C-alpha cells in the first residue's frame, strides 16, 4: 500500500506548493512551465525519459526566449527550472497538492491514469484533467473521490494564452472548484466556469462548430482558406481564422475533439467533414507536419 502523506491545503499559508503534471507533451510541459515560474514545485511525469527530455528542453527554450526578449530575468528562469523535477514513476506524485493530467484525449487512457492516481495521492489532493472535450463526470467515475475531480482546460501555447476553462463534473465540490481556480489564477490565467460538463464544454464546442463549417465551405469550393479566415478576422474581430487555428492546434487534435463531441451529442453540426479525415490520414495535420489547410515552413 502506498502511504498518503499529510499535507497543507492550497488555501493555507505555506512556503511550497506542490503540483504534479502527468504528461510532458506540449500542454503538460506548458502547464509545468507557467506553474514553476509562479513558484510551484512541479513534478513532471511521463512514461519515457525521452519524452521528459523533450518536454524540459521545450521549457528551457521557452524560458530562454522570454529572457532574450527582456520579459523574464535570467535568474528567475534558472530558479523556475530548478523547481521542476522529472520522473517516469507515477508513485513520485503521491504527495502533490494538485495533480493535472495532460495525456492523450482518449477516455480509456485517462481512466487508466485516474484509477492509478486515486490509489496513490493523498485523500485531500485534487485531481484535474486538461481535457478539452471529454466530460469530467466520465473521467471522475473511475475514482472513489469524484467530488475532488475537476477540469482545468488550458490553451496552447500555455505560456501565452490567458484563458483556463474550469469544468465542474456532476459531483465536483465547491471546494475543489475553488482550489482549481486558485491554482489557475496563481499561474496568471483568467478563468471561466463550465457548470455542466457537456462534451466539449464551452470553448471546444464553439471552435469545433466554426472549424467544421469552415472546412465544409473550403471543401465544397465556396471560398479559399485564406478568404474564410479573413472573413472571420475582419468581419468578426477574431485574432486568427478557424482554419489557421486548426493548423496551429493540429487538424488531428480538432478532428478527435469534434469526433468526441459528435459521439456524445449526436449533433450533426459537429460531424467532422470528410476533408479533415483525409488530411489526417495523409499526415497533413498543420504546423507540426508542415502542411495543413496552409503550407508551413
Amino acid at each position: 500500500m502506498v502511504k498518503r502523506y499529510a499535507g497543507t491545503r492550497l488555501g493555507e499559508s505555506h512556503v511550497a506548493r506542490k503540483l504534479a503534471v502527468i504528461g510532458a507533451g506540449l500542454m503538460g510541459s506548458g502547464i509545468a512551465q507557467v506553474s514553476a515560474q509562479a513558484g510551484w514545485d512541479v513534478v513532471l511525469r511521463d512514461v519515457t525519459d525521452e519524452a521528459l527530455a523533450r518536454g524540459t528542453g521545450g521549457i528551457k527554450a521557452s524560458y530562454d526566449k522570454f529572457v532574450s526578449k527582456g520579459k523574464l530575468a535570467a535568474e528567475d528562469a534558472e530558479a523556475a527550472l530548478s523547481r521542476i523535477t522529472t520522473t517516469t514513476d507515477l508513485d513520485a506524485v503521491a504527495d502533490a497538492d494538485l495533480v493535472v493530467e495532460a495525456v492523450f484525449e482518449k477516455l480509456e487512457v485517462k481512466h487508466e491514469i485516474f484509477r492509478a492516481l486515486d490509489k496513490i495521492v493523498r485523500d485531500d489532493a485534487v485531481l484535474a484533467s486538461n481535457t478539452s472535450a471529454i466530460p469530467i463526470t466520465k473521467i471522475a467515475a473511475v475514482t472513489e473521490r469524484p467530488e475532488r475531480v475537476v477540469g482545468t482546460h488550458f490553451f496552447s501555447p500555455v505560456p501565452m494564452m490567458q484563458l483556463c476553462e474550469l469544468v465542474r463534473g456532476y459531483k465536483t465540490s465547491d471546494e475543489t472548484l475553488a482550489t482549481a481556480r486558485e491554482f489557475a489564477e496563481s499561474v496568471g490565467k483568467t478563468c471561466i466556469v463550465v457548470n455542466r460538463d457537456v462534451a466539449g464544454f464551452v470553448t471546444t464546442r464553439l471552435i469545433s462548430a466554426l472549424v467544421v463549417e469552415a472546412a465544409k465551405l473550403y471543401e465544397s469550393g465556396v471560398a479559399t482558406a485564406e478568404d474564410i479566415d479573413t472573413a472571420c478576422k475582419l468581419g468578426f474581430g477574431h485574432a486568427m481564422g478557424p482554419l489557421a487555428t486548426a493548423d496551429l492546434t493540429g487538424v488531428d487534435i480538432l478532428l478527435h475533439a469534434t469526433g468526441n463531441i459528435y459521439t456524445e451529442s449526436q449533433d450533426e453540426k459537429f460531424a467532422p467533414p470528410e476533408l479533415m479525415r483525409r488530411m489526417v490520414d495523409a499526415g497533413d495535420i498543420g504546423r507540426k507536419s508542415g502542411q495543413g489547410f496552409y503550407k508551413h515552413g
Side-chain angles (χ1 to χ4, degrees), residues 18-289:
K18 188 164 184 178
L19 171 74
V21 180
I22 310 300
L26 182 64
M27 295 303 299
S29 61
I31 294 166
Q33 176 181 330
V34 298
S35 300
Q37 189 174 336
W40 287 76
D41 289 330
V42 180
V43 176
L44 182 60
R45 188 264 183 182
D46 212 309
V47 294
T48 68
D49 289 328
E50 292 77 14
L52 290 167
R54 285 193 299 272
T56 53
I59 292 170
K60 185 178 186 308
S62 183
Y63 281 152
D64 288 345
K65 186 177 293 185
F66 283 125
V67 170
S68 70
K69 292 182 177 181
K71 295 182 178 180
L72 181 65
E75 57 269 27
D76 291 337
E78 185 177 346
L81 271 175
S82 73
R83 284 191 283 270
I84 301 174
T85 58
T86 62
T87 184
T88 58
D89 181 8
L90 194 62
D91 286 346
V93 312
D95 60 344
D97 295 295
L98 174 70
V99 183
V100 178
E101 165 273 313
V103 301
F104 186 66
E105 281 286 89
K106 192 171 183 180
L107 183 59
E108 294 80 3
V109 177
K110 295 183 186 295
H111 275 174
E112 181 181 355
I113 293 293
F114 274 80
R115 283 192 188 96
L117 290 173
D118 192 38
K119 295 178 174 64
I120 293 170
V121 301
R122 301 191 324 249
D123 291 332
D124 64 342
V126 167
L127 301 180
S129 176
N130 186 58
T131 181
S132 62
I134 301 173
I136 296 302
T137 302
K138 285 191 172 183
I139 295 173
V142 299
T143 75
E144 295 181 4
R145 61 177 93 194
E147 72 284 354
R148 299 200 68 79
V149 180
V150 65
T152 51
H153 177 207
F154 289 83
F155 292 77
S156 182
V158 179
M160 304 300 296
M161 300 294 282
Q162 294 303 303
L163 183 64
C164 183
E165 190 175 32
L166 303 178
V167 187
R168 184 194 290 272
Y170 184 69
K171 292 190 175 181
T172 302
S173 70
D174 291 342
E175 179 188 11
T176 296
L177 188 69
T179 296
R181 180 186 286 276
E182 181 183 349
F183 161 62
E185 291 180 347
S186 80
V187 302
K189 305 307 177 188
T190 298
C191 300
I192 67 166
V193 176
V194 180
N195 286 310
R196 185 167 65 88
D197 67 332
V198 294
F201 318 134
V202 171
T203 57
T204 304
R205 286 178 81 94
L206 289 172
I207 190 59
S208 292
L210 187 57
V211 167
V212 164
E213 186 58 31
K216 288 177 178 177
L217 290 169
Y218 174 62
E219 181 180 42
S220 60
V222 171
T224 65
E226 291 86 350
D227 282 354
I228 292 167
D229 281 348
T230 297
C232 290
K233 288 189 292 183
L234 301 185
F236 307 142
H238 294 182
M240 182 181 289
L243 300 180
T245 299
D247 276 9
L248 176 64
T249 303
V251 179
D252 55 333
I253 301 298
L254 275 172
L255 177 65
H256 194 75
T258 56
N260 280 336
I261 298 171
Y262 177 66
T263 298
E264 181 79 14
S265 67
Q266 292 299 298
D267 189 330
E268 287 297 325
K269 71 172 171 284
F270 296 112
E274 184 181 348
L275 173 62
M276 290 179 68
R277 298 184 188 279
R278 289 202 310 269
M279 290 172 68
V280 171
D281 289 343
D284 289 350
I285 55 177
R287 291 192 182 187
K288 56 190 173 184
S289 71

